[in-house]
Amino acid sequence: MAEAERIIGTPETPDAAGEGQERPDAEPEREQQEQKKQEQAPERTRGKRRVAVLFAVALFAYLLDLGSKMLVVAKLEHHEPIEIIGDWLRFAAIRNAGAAFGFGEAFTIIFTVIAAAVIVVIARLARKLHSLPWAIALGLLLGGALGNLTDRIFRAPGVFEGAVVDFIAPKHFAVFNLADSAIVCGGILIVILSFRGLDPDGTVHKD
């Protein structure tokens, strides 16, 4: 009986027959997945490059602002203003407890919180950033916000209440610093990009 079963053999079940063999449609699916990965790879690379540009611009703006303030505090504070272009443009060191260009001195802590919130928002936007102009604009905003936030945290009269160092004094205009300039330039660039319909992820839309 056992010999008869050995000769006749056990019929193969569908699972046994298909074991070790790929389904006919498995190969097209794998090719589609590979093609999708290849298409997404350049997008990820471009996104990483844009993020790198953002942080490079932010670092440059931050270090330039920090260096200028250190120089102003060391060489210009408690001294007479320096005339750059007659009385039309001077360097005069002042401490500003308010927002950019000297506004709102009674709300120092609020402006500190706003600056910190701006930094968090920019960090979140960086994850889907694929536009070079947006990277530059957000980098300027980030560098400027970090520059003034550093003053808020580390300068007198206290943590989160520190006065910002301003020194650029045009005639008939408020005194400001390089961080303020970076914030304004970044904001203007964002407005221009928005009017042109360019989104941070690189897509262009027309209303």
Side-chain angles (χ1 to χ4, degrees), residues 33-151:
Q33 292 175 356
E34 290 296 330
Q35 184 178 1
K36 188 175 181 181
K37 290 180 180 179
Q38 292 176 0
E39 292 174 352
Q40 291 176 346
E43 291 294 324
R44 288 195 296 268
T45 302
R46 187 175 67 170
K48 291 179 180 179
R49 289 176 179 173
R50 298 300 182 257
V51 172
V53 170
L54 186 158
F55 287 112
V57 172
L59 181 62
F60 176 77
Y62 175 74
L63 292 178
L64 192 62
D65 175 69
L66 182 63
S68 65
K69 288 174 179 175
M70 293 175 63
L71 186 62
V72 166
V73 171
K75 302 295 184 180
L76 188 57
E77 200 167 35
H78 308 304
H79 291 77
E80 290 296 320
I82 298 175
E83 293 186 352
I84 305 301
I85 307 177
D87 62 346
W88 288 96
L89 178 63
R90 301 185 303 166
F91 285 168
I94 67 168
R95 297 294 182 107
N96 170 26
F101 307 109
F103 298 116
E105 294 188 2
F107 304 99
T108 305
I109 296 180
I110 295 177
F111 293 131
T112 303
V113 173
I114 292 174
V118 168
I119 293 170
V120 172
V121 170
I122 292 174
R124 291 178 63 88
L125 281 175
R127 295 183 301 177
K128 59 178 181 179
L129 185 63
H130 289 85
S131 168
L132 180 59
W134 269 97
I136 296 172
L138 293 177
L140 290 171
L141 280 179
L142 181 59
L146 285 172
N148 283 338
L149 184 61
T150 299
D151 284 356

